[in-house]
Amino acid sequence: MDLQDKEIPPGEILPVVIIGNGPSGICLSYLLSGYTPYLSPEASHPNPLLHSKLEEQPHRSLLEQDLEYLCEGLEGRSSNPVAVLFDSLLLPDSDFGLDHTSPLEWRYEPERAIPHLVLGKGPPGGAWHAMEGSMLTLSLANWMELPGLKLKDWMRDKRRNVRNDRATPAEIASYYQHYVSQMSLEQSFACGTTVTSVTRQPGNQEGSPPCWRVAGVQRREGEELGDGSSVSEEVPFSLLAHNVVLATGTHDIPARLDAEGESLPFVCHSFWELEAAISRGELDESSDPVLVVGAGLTAADAVLAAHHLNTPVYHAFRRSVTDPGLIFNQLPKLLYPEYHKVHQMMTQQQHQTNPAPQNNAQNLHPASSPSSSSPSSYPGYLSFPRHRVVAFRPDRKCVLESDSGERTVVQVSKALVLIGAHPNLSFLDNNGCELSINPGEPISCRRNPIDVDPFTNKVLAADGPGMYAMGPLVGENFVRFLKGGALAIASDLAKRQREGGERGEGGVTMDCLMDRWVDRQATTQRGADICVLDS
């Protein structure tokens, strides 16, 4: 949808603008479009305490209930209480491998809809469209689904069985794109948009209240050329909004070690660079080892990809293999056999440190493929637990250092630094660092998420009211739990709308605003280059 097709009168303030069209933004759009969860009259929840609380007000939707009260006493694999609540309602007892029916029923109530706009750089689904298409997702397939459309039903319609109850990223991306169409959410999505600034706009003497200004550009196809092709163009836009939701994810900027030589050509920072090297035929069993740095799932995928080619692998990471914080120690072995295999490799094929003077470095030569001192179950692989990279050298030698200070030099063909990523929040001052739990430090999903109210997802350090954050930005890296952020935000927006009575912020009735919004969806109007003129 082109933003210029949404003719918004000058000075009109949209209720909600969502920045990011991945599963977080899609789920929130679903809730803001009038799809409302209720406790089904025939259903029961396996948690008797939660069920009794829901039965206290069975005729009120989940969006109208006290989420903090419902969250009390619940435990789960997320630190965000509303995420645990919503996950428990959508997938009861799924942590125990059970497949209980959700006690929720969804009703479409368009009178509850809150006009909103979802901005995204690519098609709906966000970063899932950029992921490698053949690897299986970490989560079970039903954990990846969004409310109202069973992923297994959708895959069955495509005549495909879900292998091991898991799916590929390509299938998930296709599902999210189909979901937006199936739920008739397209009129609220503007794809091909890049937000360049989000700033607080003061009120004016004409009575316009303070709000948020969202500016950027939208990539659109221009005039058609004689050969049938067209030239794309970037058209600027500017929007005013009472509420802004940050839902960009955290996959934009790969994290770096800040080690010497990290910018050398053989040092890569994404799994896709390894895929590209493999497709070019640069790696095989005769190659020098690949150094993989990191102990997350992407690093494990890189180990598996190289191991599949019989390419030798050195694997360096900061944690101990027994560290409970290591993701492999949290995954059921039967559900994730390939990651269990990597963990076995990390455990059984460790580099043996040698007592040596600290100023000397042990050299591992590529002539003999990586191996441990014990008989090898996984030839061609060697792990370096509790090691860090000191330097990358132009001759493709890498210097590793253990916790005890022992240094080892390894000869490699490529180095893959896969230690996570940071979000691209360049449209905020200082990349949004001041909004995080540790202000001034870069925002990251695991170490330093945005600081939000746990029951509303309001950004606590925002320049003004009406800024929310959700998904990986607040520490939710799994689709299963990011849906809770959508519930928290939709609930808070609905509460504010109820408390404001019939009139929305700025004196415009919500009913009137919704009528105008719907009318604009049905009428395509092309005009000015800038879709919203608010000056």
Side-chain angles (χ1 to χ4, degrees):
M1 184 270 301
D2 281 352
L3 279 170
Q4 69 177 16
D5 295 339
K6 283 188 176 298
E7 187 179 289
I8 303 172
E12 183 171 303
I13 305 174
L14 297 175
V16 184
V17 169
I18 303 168
I19 304 174
N21 66 355
S24 295
I26 295 172
C27 189
L28 180 55
S29 176
Y30 179 75
L31 292 173
L32 296 183
S33 296
Y35 293 95
T36 311
Y38 288 85
L39 176 66
S40 175
E42 306 84 24
S44 63
H45 194 280
N47 183 322
L49 177 60
L50 177 57
H51 185 75
S52 65
K53 289 181 179 180
L54 291 168
E55 282 196 315
E56 291 173 11
Q57 303 181 80
H59 301 297
R60 297 185 68 181
S61 77
L62 194 58
L63 297 176
E64 299 171 286
Q65 302 207 30
D66 184 342
L67 297 183
E68 185 171 359
Y69 171 64
L70 295 178
C71 288
E72 290 175 357
L74 295 180
E75 295 181 353
R77 291 167 53 195
S78 170
S79 59
N80 293 320
V82 182
V84 174
L85 169 67
F86 206 25
D87 177 69
S88 176
L89 292 170
L90 292 170
L91 301 165
D93 280 350
S94 61
D95 276 337
F96 302 105
L98 302 176
D99 193 17
H100 287 300
T101 301
S102 171
L104 297 180
E105 68 175 20
W106 292 86
R107 304 175 192 171
Y108 179 56
E109 300 174 329
E111 68 277 8
R112 293 183 182 272
I114 297 177
H116 61 280
L117 193 59
V118 184
L119 307 178
K121 295 179 181 179
W128 286 93
H129 288 280
M131 295 183 186
E132 194 273 329
S134 61
M135 289 282 185
L136 291 176
T137 61
L138 172 66
S139 297
L140 297 173
N142 64 329
W143 292 359
M144 310 296 296
E145 70 190 20
L146 299 180
L149 180 61
K150 290 289 185 183
L151 180 59
K152 286 186 178 180
D153 293 343
W154 174 78
M155 298 182 89
R156 193 176 299 116
D157 291 341
K158 293 169 67 74
R159 294 183 174 84
R160 180 198 181 278
N161 293 322
V162 182
R163 180 166 36 126
N164 296 327
D165 285 327
R166 292 160 69 194
T168 67
E171 289 163 339
I172 298 299
S174 180
Y175 164 79
Y176 291 142
Q177 196 162 0
H178 175 78
Y179 182 93
V180 170
S181 173
Q182 180 75 15
M183 300 301 172
S184 301
L185 306 179
E186 302 106 318
Q187 70 271 16
S188 297
F189 279 69
C191 300
T193 56
T194 299
V195 174
T196 55
S197 69
V198 173
T199 53
R200 190 66 180 165
Q201 186 86 2
N204 57 35
Q205 295 179 347
E206 286 73 36
S208 178
C211 59
W212 297 97
R213 181 188 292 273
V214 181
V217 295
Q218 183 177 35
R219 186 182 65 257
R220 294 207 286 269
E221 296 301 319
E223 295 183 5
E224 188 170 316
L225 303 178
D227 59 1
S229 63
S230 59
V231 178
S232 62
E233 57 181 346
E234 289 190 341
V235 180
F237 68 85
S238 177
L239 305 166
L240 292 178
H242 288 298
N243 303 285
V244 170
V245 181
L246 307 178
T248 60
T250 62
H251 297 286
D252 293 308
I253 305 172
R256 297 177 66 88
L257 297 168
D258 293 327
E260 178 188 339
E262 193 170 355
S263 297
L264 289 168
F266 72 93
V267 183
C268 307
H269 291 82
S270 75
F271 178 83
W272 324 124
E273 292 177 88
L274 173 63
E275 288 280 290
I278 291 173
S279 66
R280 292 192 298 265
E282 295 176 6
L283 297 173
D284 56 31
E285 65 275 6
S286 63
S287 304
D288 282 343
V290 171
L291 172 65
V292 177
V293 183
L297 298 176
T298 305
D301 287 339
V303 169
L304 290 169
H307 195 65
H308 180 71
L309 293 173
N310 294 319
T311 301
V313 176
Y314 292 130
H315 187 189
F317 43 94
R318 297 297 300 267
R319 296 178 184 267
S320 161
V321 292
T322 58
D323 190 321
L326 200 68
I327 185 64
F328 307 102
N329 292 320
Q330 304 170 23
L331 299 176
K333 296 177 182 179
L334 292 178
L335 286 178
Y336 307 103
E338 73 276 36
Y339 293 129
H340 176 57
K341 174 183 176 180
V342 172
H343 192 220
Q344 280 187 317
M345 296 164 70
M346 294 163 66
T347 304
Q348 297 176 13
Q349 305 278 127
Q350 297 184 39
H351 169 64
Q352 302 300 314
T353 58
N354 297 320
Q358 197 162 337
N359 58 350
N360 290 336
Q362 177 185 2
N363 285 272
L364 292 189
H365 299 285
S368 58
S369 67
S371 63
S372 66
S373 58
S374 59
S376 176
S377 302
Y378 302 104
Y381 172 90
L382 185 62
S383 72
F384 291 81
R386 305 182 70 159
H387 277 68
R388 69 184 184 95
V389 179
V390 175
F392 301 97
R393 294 176 178 169
D395 58 0
R396 296 181 183 257
K397 289 183 178 178
C398 304
V399 183
L400 308 179
E401 184 177 79
S402 70
D403 279 357
S404 63
E406 180 194 69
R407 291 194 172 188
T408 304
V409 180
V410 295
Q411 180 76 52
V412 304
S413 57
K414 282 192 176 297
L416 293 161
V417 178
L418 303 173
I419 56 172
H422 299 294
N424 181 2
L425 297 175
S426 58
F427 50 83
L428 298 174
D429 288 342
N430 196 23
N431 211 42
C433 289
E434 279 68 27
L435 307 180
S436 64
I437 290 176
N438 297 310
E441 296 294 320
I443 293 171
S444 69
C445 176
R446 297 187 184 278
R447 298 180 183 86
N448 192 32
I450 291 178
D451 197 11
V452 296
D453 181 282
F455 300 103
T456 65
N457 277 49
K458 287 180 180 176
V459 177
L460 297 179
D463 290 340
M467 176 175 279
Y468 300 84
M470 63 185 303
L473 292 175
V474 299
E476 292 299 356
N477 213 21
F478 294 111
V479 174
R480 173 184 171 187
F481 293 115
L482 61 77
K483 290 173 278 192
L487 175 64
I489 295 169
S491 175
D492 191 59
L493 290 172
K495 178 182 178 183
R496 288 169 54 195
Q497 183 173 324
R498 291 193 304 272
E499 291 176 348
E502 287 291 322
R503 307 189 69 80
E505 295 169 274
V508 181
T509 67
M510 283 295 180
D511 286 343
C512 178
L513 186 55
M514 192 63 193
D515 288 343
R516 294 208 304 262
W517 186 266
V518 172
D519 288 343
R520 282 197 297 274
Q521 310 315 312
T523 306
T524 300
Q525 299 182 20
R526 299 187 177 276
D529 283 343
I530 300 181
C531 65
V532 181
L533 304 176
D534 47 37
S535 57

